[in-house]
Each structure stands twice: as structure tokens, then as C-alpha cells.
Amino acid sequence: MVLNHVIESQQFTPELLFELFKRADKLRLKSDSCLKGKILVTLFYEPSTRTRMSFESAMLKLGGSVVSTENAKEFSSAIKGESLSDTIRIVGAYCNCVVMRHYETGAALEASKVSKVPIINAGDGKGQHPTQALLDVYTIYREFGRLDNLKIAMVGDLASGRTVRSLCYLLAKFSGNTIIFVSPENLRMGEDIKDHLNKKGVKFREEVGLDKILPEADIIYMTRIQKERISIQDYKKAKGKYVIDSKTINLIRPDARIMHPLPHVEEIDLSLETEENDKRVAYFRQAENGLYIRMALLDMILNKESCFS
Ligand code: CP
């Protein structure tokens, strides 16, 4: 299967997803030096812990090398006024693939138009975060053994959340899923996503309260209120509205899972003991899955022979 630029989650067919899961499962058990001699550039104009480090670890574990700028806004020539398009054309001469995070929606798509090497979108403003959605569905598949007939509550700042947007596109590819959007009125899921779900016949509804939906959801996908992307008025209205703590966790079914793209702040307030021992807490397993899914993705994009051929 040919995969070049990864810009939005809609690119992934169910067949491609399951191929990726298969490779991730194998790479979890045994690493391989199949990307020896290849170079990955990570070009991040916004902060990151998981995405950048897991991509870099993934490349190193596959025998490749990494060239990185973790604060491209200040420490690349962007600060001197260089355009993104010029940066991409230059960087493409130094590497085999660019993983890029940018504060502007659509930046990854623009970069892909001038790039000679594959561009992987590691988050573009309020747009998409496709590789997060890949690790999310991989986690769901590992936890539930299926990607259909699930009830998923997406909770928090759905207006700014690029992870939930990318996840909706993937969940819409499987039958029988129901999505419950739980957000304050001022931070609702975008109309473009709701239109897409309607077009695909995916059932969804919008709620403002969290407690009443907790007993019915298979997956509670919590998200952070993104202070950096919204007005201070919107932030104050939403802050502390949705919290999973020692009280609200009792409303969640024993077979359900709590997911979160992380980082979490006050919307998760559980003890270390609960986070380590309660099977419903899936977000640390989810973050670890990111390493294997990104190894599989790099293998798929950069390795014509594949680690497993
Ligand atoms: N989930 C996620 O994108 O985390 P980072 O911002 O730490 O990369």
C-alpha cells in the first residue's frame, strides 16, 4: 500500500488501518533496523511531549536518525521571516520525511504541496492531528477488540480540539458507532464535522452535562480546555466544568474506558493508585501505543520493502 503525505485522518481506509495495527503489533514485540540510513526531521512550531518524542523514538528504534527543532517558531529561520514553503523546500533536501506541528490550520497541507519528501501532520492549529487518531483507534481496537457498535463520549473543548476532529473521521468509517459530544455551549464541535457525520449516517447528539452520559458510554474521551486557543471569557466559562475524579468515576461502567490524548490538567483528578490499578484508565496505555503506531507508520511510508517482508 502506498502512503506518502499524512495530512488528515480521512486518508486512512479500514484496510490501511488494520495493516497499520498488524505492523504495530509486530513492532511492539520486536524492533528492527529497517530504516537504517534514513533521516527524519521533526519540525515543531508548537510545544509537544508525546508526539515529537514518540516519533523520534520510533525512528531511532527502527535504526534511522533524527534531526529536530523543538521550537521552530523561535529557533528556526522562521524568526528571521523565512516562509514555511521555503523552510520545507530546504529541509526536504536534508531528510527522507518531515513530521511537522504548526499553529495554523492547513499548514501541513500547504507544506505537502511544495515538499519532495513525505510530510506527516503532527497537529495543525484547530485542524487535525491524524496520527493521534491512528493511535486512538489502535487503542480502542486493543481494548475492545472492535471499532464498530461503540458509544463514544467526547468531552471538553470540542471547538479547539484537533484530536477529536480527526477521531470522528475515523469512527465514521465503521458501522453502528454513536458519538455523544459533551461541551459547554460556547465550545461545541464544529459544523463541518457534524455535517460529515450526518452524511455518513453516524448517530450523534450534543449534551452540556457530563454526569448523565457517564453510565451509558463505552469510551469517555476527555480533552483539555485549550486556554491558548480561546478567549479568556470562554476559558473561564469552561474551566473545571468536566472532571473525572474519585466521585464521578463511580458513574462509569466497569467495562468502559477513559481515554485522553494528554496532557491532562484539572479535567482528570484521580489518585496515582487509581491511575495505575483501575483498568478503566486507558490514557497511559494509549500514549504508549503511540510509539508502536508511529513506528508502523514510518515503516509504511519510508520502507518500500517493509520491516516484515
Ligand atoms: N497528544 C498530544 O499531541 O500530545 P503532545 O502535545 O504532548 O504531543
Side-chain angles (χ1 to χ4, degrees):
M1 284 180 223
V2 180
L3 193 58
N4 190 27
H5 304 298
V6 174
I7 306 302
E8 47 189 26
S9 61
Q10 304 90 300
Q11 287 173 248
F12 289 83
T13 60
E15 294 72 29
L16 200 51
L17 289 176
F18 289 120
E19 170 63 25
L20 204 59
F21 295 176
K22 204 168 75 186
R23 291 186 192 214
D25 283 346
K26 286 186 180 167
L27 288 165
R28 172 188 297 272
L29 300 175
K30 192 175 170 292
S31 202
D32 192 291
S33 299
C34 54
L35 296 187
K36 195 169 184 310
K38 304 261 195 259
I39 297 174
L40 178 74
V41 160
T42 53
L43 187 61
F44 277 58
Y45 294 84
E46 279 190 340
S48 166
T49 296
R50 279 146 289 273
T51 312
R52 187 172 67 82
M53 291 190 192
S54 63
F55 261 118
E56 293 183 2
S57 298
M59 190 64 179
L60 296 172
K61 280 172 84 74
L62 292 175
S65 305
V66 175
V67 176
S68 180
T69 167
E70 63 186 273
N71 182 356
K73 208 172 171 181
E74 285 181 46
F75 299 132
S76 76
S77 286
I79 196 87
K80 301 177 216 163
E82 185 167 63
S83 67
L84 177 64
S85 146
D86 275 5
T87 302
I88 292 296
R89 285 188 292 170
I90 300 298
V91 167
Y94 305 153
C95 68
N96 303 97
C97 181
V98 177
V99 177
M100 184 183 115
R101 173 171 288 185
H102 201 279
Y103 47 89
E104 272 176 14
T105 304
L109 179 63
E110 288 312 306
S112 71
K113 289 178 186 166
V114 296
S115 182
K116 287 195 174 65
V117 300
I119 297 287
I120 301 178
N121 181 6
D124 61 329
K126 294 184 183 182
Q128 283 218 29
H129 192 347
T131 68
Q132 177 69 44
L134 295 177
L135 75 92
D136 290 343
V137 290
Y138 180 51
T139 302
I140 294 170
Y141 192 69
R142 285 179 63 83
E143 300 284 328
F144 290 88
R146 66 181 198 278
L147 291 174
D148 55 9
N149 297 302
L150 290 161
K151 196 175 269 191
I152 303 105
M154 298 184 180
V155 184
D157 175 4
L158 304 182
S160 318
R162 55 197 178 197
T163 68
V164 281
R165 292 173 56 78
S166 290
L167 184 55
C168 280
Y169 283 117
L170 290 189
L171 291 172
K173 291 178 187 278
F174 297 89
S175 62
N177 289 326
T178 301
I179 304 178
I180 310 169
F181 294 124
V182 184
S183 74
E185 301 279 3
N186 54 322
L187 297 174
R188 285 177 150 195
M189 177 54 83
E191 293 302 320
D192 58 334
I193 296 291
K194 289 185 267 182
D195 286 348
H196 180 80
L197 296 179
N198 277 327
K199 228 180 276 165
K200 296 283 170 187
V202 179
K203 277 193 252 166
F204 71 89
R205 66 178 208 264
E206 295 182 283
E207 298 280 354
V208 173
L210 177 61
D211 289 9
K212 88 167 192 200
I213 65 90
L214 289 178
E216 65 170 298
D218 297 302
I219 297 161
I220 297 100
Y221 191 101
M222 298 296 292
T223 65
R224 181 174 63 88
I225 307 297
Q226 299 198 29
K227 192 178 182 179
E228 69 278 23
R229 298 195 200 281
I230 57 178
S231 69
I232 191 72
Q233 291 83 356
D234 278 344
Y235 177 70
K236 280 184 181 162
K237 269 193 239 169
K239 183 181 160 39
K241 201 171 168 65
Y242 306 118
V243 181
I244 300 294
D245 58 17
S246 57
K247 225 164 72 190
T248 50
I249 198 170
N250 294 322
L251 299 171
I252 297 173
R253 293 202 321 262
D255 60 341
R257 295 290 182 270
I258 305 163
M259 294 177 64
H260 195 308
L262 302 177
H264 77 65
V265 282
E266 77 274 353
E267 69 279 3
I268 304 276
D269 185 15
L270 296 171
S271 67
L272 189 65
E273 198 197 338
T274 303
E275 286 193 321
E276 293 200 339
N277 300 321
D278 191 321
K279 201 153 192 301
R280 291 173 296 180
V281 175
Y283 41 83
F284 289 110
R285 294 192 293 278
Q286 182 186 354
E288 184 184 341
N289 288 337
L291 172 64
Y292 308 118
I293 214 75
R294 287 173 175 133
M295 286 173 83
L297 189 64
L298 291 174
D299 172 40
M300 208 180 252
I301 293 173
L302 289 175
N303 196 12
K304 284 195 175 56
E305 300 300 319
S306 168
C307 289
F308 306 108
S309 59

